Amino acid sequence: MLKRTQNTARGIGTTFVAALTIAVLGACSTPSTSPTPSGTGSEAPVPAIGANSFTADFSAMAQLKGLASQGKGLIGVLLPDTTTSARYVTFDAPYLKKAFEAAGLGSTQFKIDNAQGSASTMQTQAEADITAGASVLLVDALDSGSGAAIEADATARGVKVIDYDRLVKGGAKDRVYVSFDNVKVGQLIGEGEVSCIADWKVSKPNILIMNGDPTDNNAKLFAEGYNGVLKRHFDSKEYVKVGEPAGTWTPSVAQTTFAQQYTAHPNINAVVTPNDDNANAVIAYLQSKKIPAKTFPTTGQDASLSGLQNILKGYQCGTVYKPIYFEAQAAAAVAIIMRSGNEVPAALVNGKTTDDTAKTDVGSVLLTPLWVTTKNMADTVVKDGAVKVSDLCVSQVKEACAAAGIK
């Protein structure tokens, strides 16, 4: 909790007036050409901003302008790739830029890079940011090993660290983690699968569980969520768990894995897919086998264009919508507060996430995800502008868009 003090002037008299006169005369007689040192005078307080303060118009970021003006150093943003999800280019980068600018930062005070899937490239980008005077690094690591190395180097050089979207296992001691509640994401996926099996009248569900990359802590949390939901159905013999092969975030690998499993187990009639891009790869394979719509449940997350269209086509049950403009604003807010030398307030750091490698709980900003189907697509992703109607409602799904009230 930031402690604020207020000084109260008492007994202002002639002594004060005389002192003030001398000070003014002295200032007038000797002009100074030196700039005022940063951090002197009145410092901006940390605003009362919490995890639920952020909105689609980015208006909450204006509360941070005072801190942005008094902070020092570059904020370096390290994004992972452009292949495992379209979100990093389509949403994260532009939303982070908008959040920083809405808080008053100029283009020379932050830098957003994408490692294009290369851990060595991300390391190089991190080193370049630190050399350029970074005081905060916002890291969305490709894997925990390379991420921990980046964070160890940053910490040794006095740079603050934020884990963005993915927790870096074994990462910096005093970091803050900004993400959605990823166990809840998994629970929504599991609940969506259960609902879809009932709605699509899938008899004797034989389910393949497909996970994300095992090196990604988020994949572990997603699996914890959906396996927790499905366990009771497996235990009661209502559903059959056919298998749970090695996970991946690479769609082509996911498609190959699914094809192998489906060939070996042709009784599979439902699948848990952990994101929209992997689901899209599986759906393409199912369509090649002439599997009809609304007969073979798949799931996803990220509310990608392909995912939303697959929902409208009846090949995907739903998608977890994580309004990335919330996550980008939260991360930018934490970065600006850290850059100003202040502690991140408890209202913003609203949870903890366990780092099994470091054997510690990491202070976390955990945001709330939503499950999107045809029933609420118009009132969520479309209303928020996360997708353009002209892009979404192409000829193949125009009728489905109209039926879903999307105009």
Side-chain angles (χ1 to χ4, degrees):
M1 186 80 180
L2 184 68
K3 207 171 182 180
R4 299 185 183 92
T5 59
Q6 183 174 347
N7 295 323
T8 304
R10 291 190 181 94
I12 299 175
T14 56
T15 302
F16 173 79
V17 173
L20 180 61
T21 303
I22 292 167
V24 170
L25 289 172
C28 291
S29 63
T30 312
S32 174
T33 57
S34 301
T36 302
S38 176
T40 62
S42 177
E43 291 191 353
V46 176
I49 195 165
N52 297 319
S53 297
F54 307 107
T55 55
D57 63 3
F58 286 66
S59 58
M61 299 306 296
Q63 299 177 49
L64 295 157
K65 285 185 176 181
L67 292 182
S69 67
Q70 74 185 34
K72 294 181 180 181
L74 178 78
I75 297 173
V77 178
L78 305 173
L79 298 177
D81 59 48
T82 58
T83 56
T84 62
S85 176
R87 59 169 283 183
Y88 299 114
V89 173
T90 307
F91 300 119
D92 294 88
Y95 284 152
L96 284 161
K97 179 177 183 289
K98 185 173 180 178
F100 288 133
E101 291 176 344
L105 290 184
S107 60
T108 61
Q109 295 174 300
F110 66 91
K111 183 168 172 276
I112 301 172
D113 288 310
N114 191 300
Q116 301 295 330
S118 169
S120 61
T121 297
M122 184 175 285
Q123 178 73 52
T124 300
Q125 291 167 342
E127 290 171 356
D129 286 348
I130 295 171
T131 300
S135 55
V136 180
L137 284 186
L138 197 156
V139 182
D140 190 347
L142 282 154
D143 60 82
S144 285
S146 62
I150 288 170
E151 294 189 4
D153 181 53
T155 301
R157 296 162 74 176
V159 178
K160 297 288 187 181
V161 173
I162 299 165
D163 284 354
Y164 179 68
D165 197 61
R166 294 168 174 158
L167 184 76
V168 173
K169 292 186 280 187
K173 180 181 178 182
D174 296 326
R175 71 202 134 131
V176 172
Y177 174 47
V178 179
S179 189
F180 285 84
D181 183 338
N182 289 311
V183 174
K184 181 63 176 177
V185 170
Q187 289 170 346
L188 291 174
I189 288 173
E191 291 164 1
E193 180 87 350
V194 171
S195 178
C196 200
I197 285 170
D199 292 346
W200 292 1
K201 298 179 172 55
V202 178
S203 62
K204 299 180 180 178
N206 284 259
I207 302 175
L208 182 69
I209 305 292
M210 299 188 73
N211 300 317
D213 193 311
T215 65
D216 179 0
N217 194 64
N218 281 4
K220 172 192 167 186
L221 298 175
F222 302 148
E224 179 183 333
Y226 52 69
N227 283 326
V229 170
L230 295 171
K231 184 178 184 299
R232 64 181 178 272
H233 297 280
F234 293 139
D235 289 349
S236 69
K237 310 299 183 185
E238 181 185 358
Y239 299 171
V240 174
K241 182 178 178 179
V242 177
E244 191 170 357
T248 181
W249 288 129
T250 304
S252 60
V253 175
Q255 186 180 71
T256 299
T257 299
F258 178 79
Q260 291 170 344
Q261 292 288 320
Y262 191 68
T263 300
H265 308 283
N267 57 321
I268 294 171
N269 58 5
V271 60
V272 170
T273 34
N275 74 353
D276 292 347
D277 289 352
N278 281 11
N280 192 48
V282 169
I283 288 165
Y285 178 83
L286 292 172
Q287 290 174 330
S288 76
K289 296 296 182 183
K290 310 299 183 187
I291 303 296
K294 295 188 177 181
T295 62
F296 197 115
T298 70
T299 56
Q301 67 172 300
D302 293 334
S304 69
L305 181 60
S306 64
L308 296 169
Q309 289 174 336
N310 281 329
I311 293 167
L312 291 166
K313 292 174 185 175
Y315 279 95
Q316 187 171 320
C317 304
T319 184
V320 179
Y321 174 42
K322 300 178 290 185
I324 296 171
Y325 55 82
F326 288 165
E327 190 174 18
Q329 288 176 82
V334 172
I336 289 165
I337 292 168
M338 283 182 164
R339 179 176 175 268
S340 72
N342 286 285
E343 294 292 324
V344 183
L348 190 52
V349 180
N350 64 340
K352 293 183 182 295
T353 303
T354 300
D355 180 342
D356 294 332
T357 301
K359 301 190 185 310
T360 188
D361 289 333
V362 180
S364 305
V365 182
L366 299 176
L367 304 160
T368 304
L370 301 169
W371 182 247
V372 170
T373 67
T374 55
K375 293 178 181 178
N376 65 346
M377 195 178 291
D379 292 330
T380 52
V381 290
V382 174
K383 183 179 179 180
D384 284 355
V387 63
K388 293 180 180 178
V389 174
S390 58
D391 293 335
L392 177 64
C393 297
V394 294
S395 58
Q396 289 177 303
V397 293
K398 190 166 285 187
E399 289 185 9
C401 277
I406 300 170
K407 302 174 182 178

